[in-house]
Structure formats: C-alpha cells, structure tokens
C-alpha cells in the first residue's frame, strides 16, 4: 500500500481544487450541525440551569383576587406541593423624559421562581426599594441607588433601585402579547418587598398572581416540543369537565380543572411552563433550533455525498487506465477500493475536523441572535453527538468514495485498457429517428444521450441545484414570511394606529366619551377554555363594531355577527371545521357558552377565537372591554398623557419589534444564503468538470475540426443548463416545503407562521441559482481554452 | 498549394530545447496523395500539426495558396482549420454519443450544409450504418466515418494521421484506396503521415523525414521500386547517430 499512499498524496495535491469542494461540503455539513448544536445546547443548558437554580414554578394562576379560602383550596388540590401568592401591578414610569411601563410584583414565596440578582443588593424582605430588570435598567441608564417614580392609577411613588435582576418567569419578556420581541424601551419589570407593595404602591391591591410547585421532582422539567403534538392529539375532545387535558403532569391537569371551579368569576387564567409565554418561548427555542440543525445537517450531508461521489468519479475517469494497470499488475479490487475510499476518509475526515473546530464562532453567532432571552448566563455547549456527526460524515464520505469506485473495481483490466468508446450509446431508439429528434441540434442530441447514459450525474446535479434553490427559498422566505406577517397583521387584518388600554378606574361614561372622541373600536381579550380542547387555554377576542378589524376567513369573508370564528392553527389542533359547535368558558365567568363555528381565519396570532360583542352578549356573555383600537397618527402624543388611558401600544412599535427580531436573525438568514450559493457553485462546478473531463478528447477533436471556442462552450453548457433548469424546477416545491418546515419550527400554540416568499425574493433566488450555474459554466469554459488539440491526434489515453 | 519555407519548430522540455523540425522546406500539391514518412521522433507529427493549423512554427513561413498561415491569429487559425483542413485521426475520434450520420453531420454543419452528411456517408459506403453508434461499427467502418466526417467539411487539405494504424492490413488497404480516390478526384490535397513503408504504394509523393529534417522527397512509385532509404534504415541511421553523439 505504500506506493498507493504516495499516489494518494500526489493525487490529492494535483487535484486539490476538486477535493477542496468535498472538503468544503464535509466541513459545512459538520459546521451546520455542530454550529447549531452549540447554540441550542448552550441555550438548553442555560435555561435548564436557571430553571433548576431558581426553582421555577410549574404552573401559574391569574385571578382578579385570591381570597384566603381560594389559596387554601388550591394548596389542598391534588398534586400541589407549594405555592406563592402575590400581587402583580402595572405602573407607568417616566424616567429621563421617556415614558415606559413597569410590571411590579411582590416577592411572595422567596423559594419559588427566585430571581437572579445581577447587580446591587441581594433580595431581602427587610430592604425597601425596588429591584428592576437588568435589560430595562441598562436601556434607561438606571443605576443602583437611583430613584424612579412609578405611577399606579395616579398613585405616584418614588422607589430607590436596590439592584437589577433576571426573573425566571420573565425569560422572554415582551410586556404584552402585542409584541413578539422583548422591548425594554417600553416594558420592564420589578420586584418589591411585600411591605413596600402594601405601604407605598398599592395598599388596597388584591393578591392576583399565584405560582405553584407541583408534587414530585419538578426541577429541570422541560417542554418536549417534539412530543407536544402527540400529547395534544391525545387530549383532543377532552373538553370542559374532563380530566387529563394538560400536557406534562397529572397534577397540572387537576389544577387546570380545579382552578376555575375554586375561583369562579375571579378566575382569569391558568398557565403551565408550556403555555406561559414568558417561560415557554425560552424553553421551546432549544428544540426549535435542534430541529433546524437536523434539517440543515441532513441537506448538507446529502450534498457532501454528492460532492464526494462526483469528485471520485472524476478522478476515476481520469485514472481508468492507471487502475487497469494496477489491476493488471495484480492489485486486488479490494485494495483499489480501499485506495479510493481513503480519499473520502482523508478529505471527509479533514473537512469534519475543520468543520468541528470552526463551529464555535457559528454557535456564538447563532446564540447571539437569541439575545432576546434573559438568562443569567448564556454560553455555547456541545455533546458527544457533535463528535458522532463528524465521524458519521467522515464515514459517509468514505463510503461514497468506495461506492464511486465500484465500476472499475468490478471490471477486468483489459476492458479499461481498451478505452472508453465501447461504453457509450446502445442502439438508436426508434423514437430518436422521428421528427422532433431530427430538429434537435447535434449538440442537443449529444447532451441528451450523454445525460441519459449518466443518469446519476444528472440526478446529482439536479439534486444539488434543487438543494441550493431550496436553501435560497428558505433563506429569503423566512424574513419574507415574517415581513408578510407584519404586513398582514398590521395593514390588512388590523388597521389601527394604536391599541389603548383604558384606566380600570374609568367610569362607563368616561369610556363612552373616550370612544366617541377617538372613534375607536372596542375589543376585549379573555383567556378561554374550549371544548373541543387541545390542552391549551386560548385567547378569546370579543370585538365591537368599528373600522379597524378586517380579519378574513379562508374563503375571504369578513367577520360578522352570529357564530364564532377560529384561527386556522387552533382549528387544526382541535379538528374544528365550519359548522361545528364550540363551547367556551371565559375567564371571570362561570358559564359555558355554545357557538357554531362560522369561519376559519387565516390569521397568525393570537391563535384562538373571535366573536362579535352582540353575538357574545346574545349568548349571555358579558362584554366589558378595556381595550380600544384607534386610528389617526395625529392623536398619538396626546393619548399617553390622557389620564383615562393606562397603556398605549402603537402599531408602529409592534412593527419595530418584529423588525428588531428579523434584524437579530439576519445573520442566520445570510448564512443560509451563503451556504446555498456555495452549494450550487460547488455541485455544479464538480459535475460540470466531471462532464468536461469525460468529453475533453471529444472537445479537442471538435477544435481540430474547426469549431470555435464559443461553439464548444455552447455545447458544454447544455448539460449544465438542463441540470440547472431541472434542479430549479424541482427546487421550487422543495423550497416551499422546506420553508414550511423552517417557519413551522418557530410556530407554537400561540402563533402560526405562514410560509411566504415575495416575487422579488423568488426572482432573486432564481437569478442566484441561474447566475451561479452560468458562472460555473464560465469557469469551466476557461478550460476549453486550454484544450490541447494535439491530445486528440494521439492515441486513446 | 501549401508550402513550408525554412520551417523550424523547437520545444522546451524541462531544461532542454528539442528541435522537432529543422529548416524544413516542402510543398503539398492539390490532387496529390502525399505521404510524410519517418520513424518515431522524426518530426512528422509536428509537420502535420503545422499543416493543420494546430501549432505555430518557431521560424519560417507556411503559405497556403499564397497566404501566410504562420501569421494567422488563433481565431483565424480556427477558421483555417474549419474551412481548409479535414482531419482523419489514427483512433477515429468519433463522438461516442452521436450516430455515424450525426458524427458526419456535426462537421457538415460547419459548412452550413448538414444535409450533405448522408451523401458523404454514402461516399464511403456506409449509408446502411448511418444510425449506428461508433461502438457498433468495426475499426474500418469507424475510420471511414471519420473520413466522411473530414470530407463533409469540403476541405482543401485532408490530413490523415496514421489512418490505418489501428486497422488490420485488409481494412487498411480499403481505407488507403478510399484516400487515393479522394486525391485522384483532384480537388483535395491528401497528406498522410505514417511510419509504415507499405502505405507509400500508389501515392504521388513521399517526403521522408529524419531527425527533424527532410531526408528526401521522392515519388511513391520510386519508393515501391526500392529507391531511397526505408524507414528501418533511417531508424538504424538514427540509432547510430545517437550513439556517436553519446560516445563523443
């Protein structure tokens, strides 16, 4: 084997450009998987550690008020181990001339969901003042020892900032569900001691927020996103009054059933770790990224195989006589097979090692794009899986190289010493003598038969281009989908300028005056339990007449009175169709209301139910809206200073929130586009070069016959053009499927992303694929210049 | 028709300069079958490359009907090969994925008359084999397809590089007969490069090369009569010359 190893080394050096593409694909495969693993495992470890260290609650109950009896009843509910009850309030803050909102709560049971103190004094029940969230403090330049003035329904207090914290119940804190991204400029949270809460902030405020630890070891309990669907399915039809409707523990199910019964009209909602948005987003994200890493690694591994196979095939085409000579000398097929497999082992192995070693920067880039999560520490982490993937890719490269050498390993030496003319063409099929074939140019016939006799090469080229197109559609489609969602949500479905929350102390007359002044549209958002049920309480939006809600059903009808409308994601989750019956039990209500489903809405978020106020009231429900949609940009400034208004959310701020999220993810999208371009170039160049190598002598002959270079280039381009066209066509449906999977990894029970690709993105993606193909052909055409005509008049080499 | 005037061709091989042709003068006439005969390393392939516009001379002038071929640009050389030269290769060089007819047609289309492909295939007696791929043809048939392909371009100069080298003697004779007929028709100058003495029979002119120089130019008939040196004698002479150089 010594001389075969020398040959191996020299072949690698001589053909380094070909093997570089294999090296690149192997490295990219490993990089895609390991890079993403570093991020999702890092996030997973960080969230798990925080969940464990803070003793994060298993579930939460929100009520207008918890009485002593309520607390006792819940404490005695089956499966409840410990509880913490406190008050959560929303305050307005004006600091350095900027308006913002601070959600303040008491410490409650310090052993449950214990915040992490980042700076300042440790949390202590005997200290006065407030601990505010770190992001909010940094955004507003609030220092330890500063005083901030908080306004709770007109009651103004000054609190000294004792420290900054990160709360495990606010790992993904967006302030309100109107925002998809944390917005520390507008929203922050803080913790005060119970005594400060009672003496300075809201002496009369009721206990309204309960955190519950379930019996059994809850520490480190995480959401199994992969199994969520099956769990949900198993609970379909569970409905009101039935047990076992909730995800991951029976104690949670019991509590979800018991809480509305215990609290009656005081009940607002029940959440667990999979439904409490500020927690579940953080706990779900690692699984989403894991899915993404598997998806991308799969695509790249497939393409590594293509690259390795085509490269070895090229090498073997060139070395056919050498192989025949070796066989003639007595080398066994096995040793020749091992020799070619060792190309895969060496190049794939080096690629895997380089990919593994290059992964940390990618992991950090991806992890940085997850900075919306508030965690005490966020560092990349890896497991043995990364090493196994690197080994697997090396093995796959080795096997594909061995596979590529199959033909020459099996043949007899004389077959290959005789030359290659005998291998091409069989008999001229009758169909190729007809009119269409006669009209086809000689170059076209040549390319067609060449492709027909090398189906694997054409297939691989097609798959390579399709893979590139698929990645490009995903890379461009993801931001398009999110932009599309912004456009659809803020310009089509909702056309308001601001969403305001009225002061809860307003009189009915004040609210009516406000509506008349602003010409607004009332709406009320409640949390409702439904039958059929998928284990998640859903948002029930009750809307009044007005100009700002223009939601449409899948058939294109607008919302009307009579019956309820459900969003598509919710309908799919519980199997609802138009005409079915849906029962609703809303928060602050003990009655169950029965409606006919009048339409399915193609709306992204929130995933839930919509009903007109009059329909709701006709069914016996109470419509007491506190939210109003208003239009007109000229009023915005005056809204925030109006004492009748507690909170103002501008549509523009919501838009900006999504734009910020997209900006954060931009690096990932750009990486995908970069990978896609690389892929198309590498695969097409490899296949083009393989085709060129096989035809070099024919091209040289044509040069001798007097063909100009451009004519030969046109002949050489045909197969690439056909491959590109086929791959492009195949890549379109594949791309939309991949985009659907990609956006699907970010969808949840609250939000359903719809894959979307703008025409301009589609054109750009197509231009990149076709442009890469042309560029590759151009690169190859440079070889035509170097064709040695003298080679053609030599013997068969 | 085409003349070499004081043609030299040198190659750089590593550190050494190799002279393939050294001040060669020769002339090829229309309607004649000329054989360039010589042993290995005599410079006959180089002469063929220069005649075919596939290479450039280091010194000297090549004129085709008074036009200086050695001064042509790459593009003009391509046009020269396209419009003037037809080439028949030792190993046929047919495109494996094109049928016999298509192989001729791909060359015929260069003259703008691809419909003539069938005619040329008929000329070489292969109209029944037009839909066969190269691997379905015998060596002689493949070479006749290659000749038809060369003729389909209506060349003024038909260059044949060892056209019978891969054929048995009987088939080789058939191919030679075809070439003689082409030359006898009077429109084409046929040049045949070979080391095979037997092929000179019936040719019009034999240019014998040795060590890059023209050794002699005689008629094919005189060679047949035993006048002039044979290739074997020239090879022996070359070996003696080489050993004398080594000895000195």
């Amino acid at each position: 084997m010594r001389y075969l190893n020398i040959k191996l080394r020299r072949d690698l050096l001589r053909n380094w450009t070909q093997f570089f593409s294999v090296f690149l694909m192997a490295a990219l495969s490993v990089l895609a998987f390991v890079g993403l693993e570093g991020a999702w495992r890092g996030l997973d470890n960080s969230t798990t550690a925080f969940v464990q260290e803070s003793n994060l609650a298993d579930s939460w109950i929100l009520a207008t008020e918890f009485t002593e009896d309520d607390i006792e009843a819940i404490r005695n509910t089956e499966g409840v181990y410990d509880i913490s009850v406190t008050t959560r309030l929303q305050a307005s803050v004006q600091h350095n001339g900027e308006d913002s909102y601070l959600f303040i709560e008491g410490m409650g049971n310090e052993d449950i969901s214990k915040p992490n103190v980042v700076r300042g004094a440790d949390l202590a029940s005997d200290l006065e003042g407030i601990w505010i969230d770190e992001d909010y403090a940094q955004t507003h330049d609030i220092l330890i020892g500063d005083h901030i003035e908080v306004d709770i329904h007109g009651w103004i207090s000054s609190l000294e900032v004792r420290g900054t914290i990160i709360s495990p119940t606010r790992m993904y804190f967006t302030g309100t569900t109107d925002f998809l991204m944390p917005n520390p400029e507008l929203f922050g949270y803080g913790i005060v001691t119970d005594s400060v809460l009672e003496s300075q902030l809201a002496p009369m405020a009721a206990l309204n927020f309960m955190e519950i630890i379930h019996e059994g070891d809850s520490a480190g309990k995480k959401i199994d996103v992969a199994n969520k669907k099956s769990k949900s399915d198993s609970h379909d039809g569970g409905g009101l009054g039935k047990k076992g409707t909730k995800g991951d523990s029976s104690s949670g199910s019991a509590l979800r059933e018991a809480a509305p019964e215990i609290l009656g009209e005081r009940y607002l909602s029940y959440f667990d770790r999979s439904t409490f948005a500020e927690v579940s987003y953080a706990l779900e994200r690692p699984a989403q990224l894991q899915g993404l890493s598997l998806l991308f690694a799969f695509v790249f591994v497939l393409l590594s195989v293509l690259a390795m196979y085509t490269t070895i095939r090229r090498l073997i085409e060139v070395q056919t006589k050498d192989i025949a000579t070796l066989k003639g000398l007595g080398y066994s097929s096995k040793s020749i097979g091992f020799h070619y497999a060792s190309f895969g082992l060496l190049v794939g192995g080096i690629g895997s090692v380089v990919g593994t070693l290059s992964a940390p920067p990618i992991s950090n880039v991806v992890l940085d794009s997850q900075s919306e999560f508030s965690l005490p520490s966020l560092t990349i982490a890896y497991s043995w899986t990364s090493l196994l993937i690197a080994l697997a890719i090396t093995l796959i490269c080795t096997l594909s190289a061995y596979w590529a050498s199959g033909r020459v390993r099996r043949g007899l030496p004389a077959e290959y010493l005789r030359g290659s003319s005998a291998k091409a063409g069989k008999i001229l099929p009758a169909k190729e003598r007809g009119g269409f074939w006669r009209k086809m140019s000689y170059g076209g016939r040549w390319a067609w038969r060449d492709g027909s006799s090398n189906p694997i090469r054409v297939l691989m080229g097609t798959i390579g281009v399709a893979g590139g197109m698929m990645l490009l559609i995903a890379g461009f489609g993801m931001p398009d989908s999110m932009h599309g969602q912004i456009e659809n949500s803020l310009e089509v479905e909702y056309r308001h300028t601001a969403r305001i929350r009225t002061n809860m102390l307003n009189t009915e007359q004040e609210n009516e005056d406000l509506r008349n002044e602003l010409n607004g549209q009332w709406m009320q958002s409640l949390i409702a339990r439904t039958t059929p049920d998928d284990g998640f309480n859903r948002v029930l939006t009750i809307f009044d007449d007005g100009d700002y809600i223009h939601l449409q059903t899948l058939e294109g009808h607008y919302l009307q009175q009579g019956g309820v409308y459900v969003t598509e994601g919710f309908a799919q989750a519980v199997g609802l169709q138009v005409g079915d019956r849906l029962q609703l039990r809303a928060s602050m209500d003990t009655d169950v209301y029965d409606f006919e489903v009048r339409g399915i809405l193609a709306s992204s978020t929130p995933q839930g139910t919509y009903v007109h106020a009059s329909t709701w009231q006709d069914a016996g429900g109470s419509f007491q809206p506190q939210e109003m949609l208003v239009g007109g940009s000229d009023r915005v400034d005056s809204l925030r200073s109006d004492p009748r208004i507690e909170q103002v959310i501008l549509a523009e701020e919501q838009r900006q929130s999504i734009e910020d999220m997209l900006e954060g993810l931009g690096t990932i999208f750009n990486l995908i586009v970069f990978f896609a371009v690389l892929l198309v170039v590498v695969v097409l160049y490899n296949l083009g070069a393989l085709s060129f190598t096989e035809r070099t002598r024919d091209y040289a002959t044509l040069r001798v016959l007097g063909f100009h270079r451009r004519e030969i280039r046109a002949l050489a381009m045909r197969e690439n053009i056909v491959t590109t066209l086929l791959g492009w066509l195949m890549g379109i449906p594949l791309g939309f499927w991949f985009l659907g999977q990609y956006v699907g990894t970010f969808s949840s029970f609250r939000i359903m992303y719809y894959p979307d690709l703008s025409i301009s993105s589609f054109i750009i993606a197509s231009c990149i694929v076709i442009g890469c193909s042309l560029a590759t052909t151009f690169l190859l055409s440079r070889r035509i210049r170097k064709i040695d005509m003298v080679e053609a008049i030599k013997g068969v080499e | 028709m085409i003349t070499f005037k004081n043609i030299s061709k040198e190659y750089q091989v590593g550190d050494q300069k190799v002279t393939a042709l050294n001040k060669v003068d020769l002339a090829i006439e229309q309607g004649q079958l000329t054989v360039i005969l010589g042993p290995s390393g005599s410079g006959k392939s180089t002469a063929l490359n220069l005649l075919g516009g596939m290479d450039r001379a280091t010194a000297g002038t090549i004129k085709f009907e008074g036009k200086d071929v050695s001064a042509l640009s790459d593009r003009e050389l391509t046009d020269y090969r396209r419009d003037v030269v037809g080439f028949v290769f030792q190993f046929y060089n047919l495109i494996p994925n094109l049928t016999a007819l298509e192989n001729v047609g791909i060359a015929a289309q260069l003259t703008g008359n691809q419909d003539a492909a069938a005619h040329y295939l008929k000329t070489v007696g292969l109209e029944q084999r037009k839909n066969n791929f190269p691997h379905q043809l015998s060596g002689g048939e493949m070479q006749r397809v290659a000749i038809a392909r060369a003729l389909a371009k209506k060349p003024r100069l038909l260059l044949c590089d060892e056209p019978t080298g891969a054929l048995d003697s009987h088939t080789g004779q058939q191919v030679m007969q075809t070439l003689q007929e082409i030359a006898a028709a009077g429109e084409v100058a046929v040049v045949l490069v070979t080391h095979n003495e037997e092929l000179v029979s019936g040719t019009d002119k034999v240019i014998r090369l040795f060590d890059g120089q023209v050794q002699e130019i005689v008629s094919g008939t005189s060679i047949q009569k035993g006048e002039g040196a044979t290739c074997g004698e020239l090879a022996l002479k070359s070996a003696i010359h080489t050993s004398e150089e080594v000895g000195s």
Side-chain angles (χ1 to χ4, degrees):
Chain A
M1 292 296 281
R2 183 187 158 200
Y3 292 102
L4 284 183
N5 289 338
I6 292 171
K7 174 181 174 298
L8 168 76
R9 195 178 69 235
R10 289 183 185 151
D11 281 342
L12 284 175
L13 289 174
R14 193 175 300 123
N15 303 292
W16 73 271
T17 49
Q18 298 167 34
F19 285 103
F20 183 71
S21 62
V22 179
F23 157 80
L24 209 58
M25 297 312 297
L28 283 178
S29 307
V30 177
L31 191 63
F33 183 87
V34 181
L36 284 170
E37 199 211 1
W40 72 255
R41 198 171 285 281
L43 187 60
D44 192 44
N45 288 355
S46 302
T47 50
T48 303
F50 195 28
V51 164
Q52 288 177 339
E53 285 162 13
S54 63
N55 194 28
L56 177 68
D58 292 301
S59 60
W60 295 264
I61 299 172
L62 275 62
T64 54
E65 180 183 7
F66 288 102
T67 65
E68 288 298 323
D69 288 344
D70 296 337
I71 295 168
E72 201 53 32
I74 291 171
R75 194 187 294 279
N76 292 331
T77 302
E78 180 194 343
V80 173
Y81 176 73
D82 197 3
I83 62 173
S84 168
V85 194
T86 187
T87 302
R88 267 191 170 187
L89 299 163
Q90 184 182 328
S92 298
V93 177
Q94 199 180 47
H95 190 80
N96 295 334
E98 293 173 344
D99 289 316
S100 59
Y101 303 100
L102 204 58
F103 292 84
I104 301 173
E105 64 187 64
M107 279 184 188
N109 184 339
E110 291 174 32
D111 292 331
I112 299 176
S113 303
K114 189 177 178 182
N116 176 271
V117 177
V118 181
R119 289 182 288 150
D122 286 341
L123 289 165
S125 54
D126 57 344
L127 278 180
E128 294 199 341
I130 187 168
W131 284 259
I132 59 172
D133 93 78
E134 172 70 11
D135 289 340
Y136 181 81
Q138 285 199 2
T139 304
H140 294 272
D141 294 325
I142 298 171
L143 304 172
I144 312 297
D146 283 358
H147 281 74
I148 55 171
E149 282 194 347
V150 298
D151 177 348
I152 300 171
H153 306 309
W155 181 283
I156 298 171
S157 308
S158 178
L159 296 170
E160 182 185 348
V161 176
R162 289 287 185 178
T164 61
I165 54 166
I166 294 173
S167 169
T169 56
R170 310 277 199 186
M171 285 188 281
Y172 192 80
F173 177 62
T174 60
T176 75
T177 52
D178 301 304
F179 291 95
L180 282 179
M181 279 289 282
N183 187 0
E185 285 187 4
L186 201 56
F187 297 108
Y189 60 85
I191 286 185
V192 294
T193 59
D194 291 343
S195 64
V196 168
L197 193 72
E198 287 163 17
S199 62
Q200 291 186 47
L201 294 181
M204 303 300 287
L207 297 168
N208 59 7
F209 183 70
M210 179 181 283
E211 299 189 76
I212 302 114
I213 296 285
H214 298 172
E215 282 181 344
D217 180 18
S218 66
K221 227 180 271 175
K222 302 297 295 283
I223 299 165
D224 184 354
V225 175
N227 293 327
K228 198 169 71 180
K229 178 78 170 67
S230 59
K231 282 177 186 170
S232 300
D233 290 346
S234 69
H235 299 314
D236 279 354
L240 299 170
K242 286 190 179 180
K243 291 201 124 199
T245 50
K246 159 66 189 70
D248 57 66
S249 75
S250 59
S251 46
S253 304
L255 201 54
R256 185 176 178 232
E257 300 297 332
E261 304 303 328
I262 295 168
L263 294 162
E265 292 181 355
R266 294 184 301 283
Y267 172 78
L268 284 176
S269 54
Y270 169 89
F271 298 104
D272 60 24
R273 288 182 185 177
S274 65
T275 56
F276 197 43
E278 294 171 9
V279 170
S280 64
Y281 263 82
L283 301 185
E284 284 171 4
R285 185 56 61 86
Q288 291 169 348
L289 289 175
Q290 186 183 14
L292 209 59
S293 70
L294 290 172
L295 212 56
F296 278 103
F298 172 74
V299 172
F300 280 108
V301 166
L302 185 67
L303 295 164
S304 292
V305 173
L306 294 187
M308 178 48 95
Y309 181 85
T310 51
T311 304
I312 294 292
R313 275 284 308 277
R314 267 169 73 186
L315 189 71
I316 286 169
E317 285 293 335
V318 174
Q319 299 190 346
T320 302
K321 283 212 160 182
D322 302 349
I323 296 165
T325 307
L326 287 173
K327 291 182 88 169
L329 287 172
Y331 277 85
S332 68
S333 299
K334 200 168 140 188
S335 57
I336 290 171
F338 283 154
H339 170 63
Y340 284 98
S342 55
F343 283 94
L345 182 69
L346 203 64
V347 180
I350 293 171
S352 297
V353 169
V354 171
T356 308
L357 295 177
S358 311
I362 296 289
S363 301
N364 278 316
V365 166
V366 177
L367 203 59
D368 285 346
S369 73
Q370 308 298 311
S371 59
E372 67 265 30
F373 297 111
S374 291
L375 295 162
S377 67
L378 190 54
T379 51
I380 57 174
Y382 299 98
S383 73
W384 286 101
T385 316
S386 290
L387 197 60
L388 287 176
I389 285 288
L391 287 173
I393 285 168
T394 308
L395 184 66
I396 285 168
C397 285
T398 309
L399 290 177
S400 61
Y402 189 76
W403 175 39
S405 68
R407 190 172 61 86
V408 286
R409 271 187 288 117
R410 284 189 292 272
L412 292 167
E415 289 174 26
Y416 298 103
L417 285 168
R418 270 201 295 271
S420 58
S421 65
K423 71 185 176 191
K426 291 177 183 168
I427 54 168
L428 188 67
K431 65 176 182 180
E432 292 193 21
R433 300 178 195 183
F436 174 74
W437 297 98
R438 282 189 187 162
K439 285 177 189 163
M440 192 188 276
S441 68
Y442 295 117
R445 295 182 209 184
W446 185 6
W448 170 264
R449 291 182 193 136
D450 214 23
S452 305
S453 57
N454 291 286
I456 291 179
R457 192 178 73 206
V458 175
L459 183 71
M460 289 190 167
T462 307
I463 291 172
V465 176
M469 187 66 186
M470 187 173 89
L471 287 178
L472 283 171
I473 287 179
F476 288 123
M478 193 62 192
D480 277 359
S481 302
M482 292 186 168
H483 277 298
Q485 190 171 316
I486 301 173
E487 303 298 321
N488 194 45
S489 183
L490 298 177
E491 290 184 13
V492 179
E493 294 177 347
Y494 291 90
R495 299 178 189 175
H496 59 282
T497 311
R499 180 192 293 234
I500 63 168
R501 181 183 293 279
T502 58
N503 192 324
M504 61 187 292
L505 302 177
N506 285 355
T507 62
E508 276 189 30
Q509 187 57 49
E510 282 175 320
N511 279 343
E512 190 54 30
D513 290 345
L514 198 58
R515 197 195 84 82
N516 291 333
E517 285 170 31
L518 300 174
N519 192 26
Q521 181 173 11
W522 283 118
M523 58 180 283
Q524 185 177 7
S525 296
L526 299 168
I527 300 294
R529 177 77 182 273
T530 64
T531 302
D533 178 41
D534 65 342
F536 300 112
N537 293 339
R538 299 280 177 172
V539 175
L540 167 65
T541 305
I542 309 166
F543 58 92
D544 204 355
D545 292 329
D547 299 328
Y548 301 111
I549 299 179
H550 296 267
L551 288 160
Q552 284 183 297
T553 64
L554 296 175
E555 295 79 25
H557 303 305
Y558 290 106
L559 300 182
Q560 292 178 342
Q561 296 180 22
V564 294
Y565 294 83
V566 293
T567 53
E568 195 179 6
F570 172 43
Q572 285 174 357
V574 297
L576 274 176
Q577 291 179 333
V578 175
D580 289 350
R581 306 298 300 183
L582 177 70
Q583 289 178 299
L584 292 164
R585 178 176 172 170
S587 51
M588 298 191 295
D589 201 334
T590 55
D591 293 328
V592 175
Y593 304 101
D594 185 74
F595 295 96
E596 180 189 350
V597 175
R598 186 145 188 205
I600 309 287
L601 302 171
S603 180
S604 290
T605 186
Q607 286 295 314
T609 313
Y610 287 81
V611 60
H612 191 279
S614 62
T615 308
W616 177 248
Q617 286 169 319
D618 289 346
S622 167
F623 183 52
Q624 294 176 314
Q626 254 197 289
E627 285 181 302
M628 193 193 294
L629 302 177
V630 298
S633 54
D634 52 329
R635 301 199 195 97
V636 171
D637 289 337
S638 62
L639 295 176
R640 284 208 162 115
S641 56
D642 192 323
R644 294 169 299 176
I645 298 172
E646 192 174 284
Q647 188 187 64
V648 180
I649 305 292
L650 299 178
E652 192 49 42
E653 289 170 342
Q654 288 178 272
R655 178 192 296 275
Q656 193 56 49
S657 168
I658 301 173
E659 295 287 355
D660 288 347
M661 181 169 79
L662 285 178
E663 200 177 316
L665 293 170
T667 319
I668 296 180
F669 301 145
N670 290 339
L671 267 178
I672 294 170
V673 172
F674 172 72
F675 283 168
V677 169
L678 210 59
L679 177 68
V680 174
V681 170
V682 166
V683 170
L684 279 183
Y685 184 82
N686 246 11
L687 291 166
L690 175 61
S691 169
F692 188 88
T693 307
E694 288 171 354
R695 291 172 160 197
T696 301
R697 195 157 177 273
D698 300 333
Y699 292 148
T701 303
L702 294 180
R703 286 286 285 146
V704 175
L705 288 179
F707 275 70
H708 286 288
R709 287 190 188 106
R710 60 182 159 74
E711 291 167 322
I712 296 175
R713 194 181 304 134
L715 284 172
M717 276 178 75
R718 278 170 212 269
E719 192 172 316
N720 252 13
I721 288 171
V722 170
T723 306
T724 304
L725 194 68
L726 286 175
W728 175 75
L729 283 172
M730 195 194 282
I732 295 168
L734 275 174
F736 279 101
W737 169 80
F738 191 69
L739 179 61
Q741 298 295 309
Y742 189 18
V743 297
T745 60
F746 289 94
S747 296
S748 68
F749 82 97
R750 282 175 300 276
I751 187 164
M752 183 174 178
Y753 286 101
Y754 287 90
D756 190 13
L757 186 76
S758 68
I759 291 174
S760 60
S761 294
F762 177 74
I763 291 171
I764 292 170
S766 301
C767 286
I768 289 176
V769 165
I770 293 163
C772 285
S773 171
L774 291 178
T776 306
T777 309
F778 175 75
L779 283 175
L780 285 171
S781 72
R782 289 169 57 189
R783 291 185 170 200
I784 292 170
R785 289 185 192 177
K786 295 177 186 169
I787 288 177
D788 183 2
M789 286 178 281
V790 175
E791 287 294 314
I793 55 175
K794 282 185 185 171
V796 182
E797 291 296 333
Chain B
M1 185 185 196
I2 186 162
T3 55
F4 275 23
K5 180 88 176 166
N6 218 18
I7 285 293
S8 293
K9 176 69 185 175
E10 292 174 347
Y11 297 103
Q12 192 73 32
V13 180
D15 298 334
Q16 285 193 320
K17 193 177 277 182
V18 176
T19 303
L21 288 179
N22 187 12
K23 296 178 181 173
V24 170
D25 292 325
L26 58 84
I28 307 291
E29 301 300 332
Q30 188 174 339
Q32 287 192 349
L33 173 54
T34 306
V35 176
I36 299 177
L37 191 67
S40 226
S42 60
K44 60 184 188 302
S45 291
T46 305
L48 189 78
N49 292 345
L50 294 174
L51 282 169
M54 291 187 287
D55 207 348
R56 291 177 190 284
T58 313
T61 311
I62 303 170
K63 284 198 172 172
F64 174 75
E65 294 184 341
K67 193 174 178 183
D68 189 357
V69 175
S70 46
L72 296 178
S73 66
D74 279 358
R75 188 178 176 77
E76 288 167 332
L77 273 179
T78 303
D79 288 336
Y80 168 76
R81 290 197 302 274
R82 188 185 187 110
D83 301 332
V84 174
V85 181
F87 219 106
V88 177
F89 305 92
Q90 180 179 3
F91 292 100
Y92 335 121
N93 286 32
L94 299 179
I95 293 168
N97 266 327
L98 294 180
T99 62
L101 184 67
E102 290 164 350
N103 264 290
V104 180
I106 201 168
Q109 73 177 9
L110 291 176
T111 63
N113 185 22
Q114 64 187 55
D115 294 337
H119 162 73
Y120 287 104
L121 209 53
K122 193 176 177 184
T123 304
V124 295
L126 286 175
E127 72 268 35
Q128 299 301 318
R129 308 284 272 159
K130 65 179 181 182
N131 287 326
N132 287 87
F133 288 100
H135 77 277
Q136 295 169 319
L137 303 174
S138 68
E141 286 173 329
M142 279 196 273
Q143 194 58 294
R144 277 149 66 197
V145 173
I147 292 169
R149 179 175 66 181
L151 293 177
K153 293 203 308 156
K154 296 182 180 171
R156 308 288 307 283
L157 180 62
L158 181 61
L159 302 176
C160 310
D161 181 25
E162 301 276 13
T164 61
L167 303 175
D168 60 71
S169 60
H170 176 68
T171 315
Q173 278 173 14
Q174 286 180 334
V175 168
M176 280 305 296
Q177 193 178 341
T178 306
L179 294 175
Q180 282 163 3
E181 286 166 10
I182 292 165
E187 291 181 359
V188 183
V190 180
V191 179
L192 193 151
V193 165
T194 184
H195 67 280
N196 187 352
E197 296 270 346
E198 293 172 10
L199 296 185
V200 301
S201 162
T203 61
D204 299 304
K205 186 193 282 183
V206 177
I207 300 169
R208 201 183 290 277
L209 289 179
F210 178 69
D211 274 357
Q213 290 182 312
V214 176
Q215 190 76 17
E216 62 179 355
I217 298 177
V218 292
S219 73
T221 319
S222 60
I223 288 274
Q224 213 174 1
K225 288 176 183 168
E227 297 166 7
T230 64
C231 265
E233 288 166 346
L234 287 173
L236 181 63
K237 196 173 174 183
S238 172
I240 295 166
H241 177 71
T242 307
S243 63
E244 280 173 352
E245 275 189 348
V246 172
S248 63

